[in-house]
Amino acid sequence: MFSFDSNALAARLNTSLLGHPLTYLDSVASTQAVVRTAALAGAAEGLAVMAGQQTAGKGRAGRSWWSPPSGGLYLSLLLRPKLPGDLVAWAIMALSLGAADAIEQVCGLHVEIKWPNDLQYQGRKLAGVLAEGAFTGQRLDYVIAGIGLNVAVDFSSQPDLAKSAVSLHQAAGHPVDQAELLAALLEQVEIRYLQMQSGHSPLADWQARLHTLGRPVLARLANGRTLTGVASAVLPDGGLRIDLEEGGSEVVWASDVTLREQA
């Protein structure tokens, strides 16, 4: 289980917003749910909830996120961004970029982004990012931004996952200082978030890390349709434009997009 040392973290943490306060729970159903309850009660942005284990972790599109008590970092943040409702994807971009920056800082690994919400290393999933927005009409009230990071997860009991996922310890080739990693994560995400709050779009930097762009893809839509083509651009609202094999293009927002081998 992720060993949380509040004193070690306090000695390293250099943020003005994120992680103030920070709550650590040995085991919880979902950090997203804990932060949502706090948000509805009027908590200020910056709250961070971290767990050593999640018993009902959440992934994208209502899926579960495997969160074993064996070295994952499961963290949710309460944000109240000054964003139009249709740009809530910027919160995902800021979180993804900050997490990638932190991993590079602590481990020296170049991390890529797989549209729309995964971090990967050499083609294998390292982390998933989730942002849930709450609205009053068209007004964005708050965002719960979560990340599940494979720090020292043992995939030996999950052979299917072992083919497509990797832990940070595996990728780096050595154990990672947990307090340093969490402090760097909060600090780098805060930098990206405050840039966004000042009006700077994270889109260009996010696209520069996006492994999906310019590659042949297969998109499986919720209605059962499939699209094949080349991922050509990301729109400001996070939608992925696919230039279709049969001509024309289509934008997708909530679909499974996988890379295809070129013939």
Side-chain angles (χ1 to χ4, degrees), residues 5-242:
D5 185 332
S6 59
N7 292 327
L9 177 63
R12 294 173 183 263
L13 187 60
N14 184 28
T15 61
S16 60
L17 178 65
L18 300 187
H20 303 287
L22 187 148
T23 299
Y24 177 80
L25 303 168
D26 285 332
S27 181
V28 68
S30 165
T31 57
Q32 294 286 103
V34 174
V35 173
R36 185 183 307 107
T37 298
L40 291 172
E45 72 170 349
L47 168 67
V49 174
M50 180 183 166
Q53 176 189 18
Q54 294 184 115
T55 57
K58 293 186 63 177
R60 191 170 62 91
R63 297 173 182 145
S64 63
W65 174 268
W66 189 54
S67 312
S70 54
L73 189 158
Y74 315 116
L75 177 72
S76 293
L77 303 168
L78 175 58
L79 307 175
R80 297 188 183 275
K82 302 169 186 174
L83 286 176
D86 60 349
L87 293 183
V88 67
W90 283 20
I92 291 181
M93 296 178 190
L95 181 57
S96 299
L97 287 167
D101 293 341
I103 291 167
E104 285 198 0
Q105 175 183 316
V106 174
C107 304
L109 301 174
H110 178 70
V111 176
E112 294 182 312
I113 296 169
K114 176 181 176 291
W115 188 92
N117 69 328
D118 288 346
L119 299 182
Q120 61 181 26
Y121 177 71
Q122 296 184 346
R124 298 167 72 187
K125 185 170 181 175
L126 186 61
V129 176
L130 180 67
E132 301 176 75
F135 300 85
T136 300
Q138 297 299 311
R139 190 189 75 223
L140 179 62
D141 291 329
Y142 61 84
V143 172
I144 305 169
I147 182 168
L149 175 60
N150 301 326
V151 179
V153 177
D154 181 2
F155 292 105
S156 60
S157 65
Q158 303 282 331
D160 289 339
L161 283 176
K163 297 175 184 177
S164 59
V166 66
S167 74
L168 201 53
H169 286 192
Q170 285 177 288
H174 57 79
V176 175
D177 184 299
Q178 297 161 341
E180 182 182 7
L181 176 63
L182 180 56
L185 180 66
L186 291 170
E187 289 164 12
Q188 294 301 320
V189 171
E190 178 171 285
I191 289 170
R192 294 287 186 171
Y193 178 69
L194 294 179
Q195 288 174 346
M196 184 191 76
Q197 285 284 66
S198 68
H200 176 73
S201 168
L203 181 58
D205 289 345
W206 194 75
Q207 286 190 108
R209 278 195 184 267
L210 198 60
H211 182 69
T212 314
L213 278 186
R215 297 174 182 268
V217 295
L218 170 68
R220 295 180 176 86
L221 308 187
N223 62 8
R225 291 178 61 213
T226 60
L227 306 175
T228 55
V230 174
S232 60
V234 178
L235 305 187
D237 64 359
L240 180 70
R241 189 176 70 211
I242 300 174

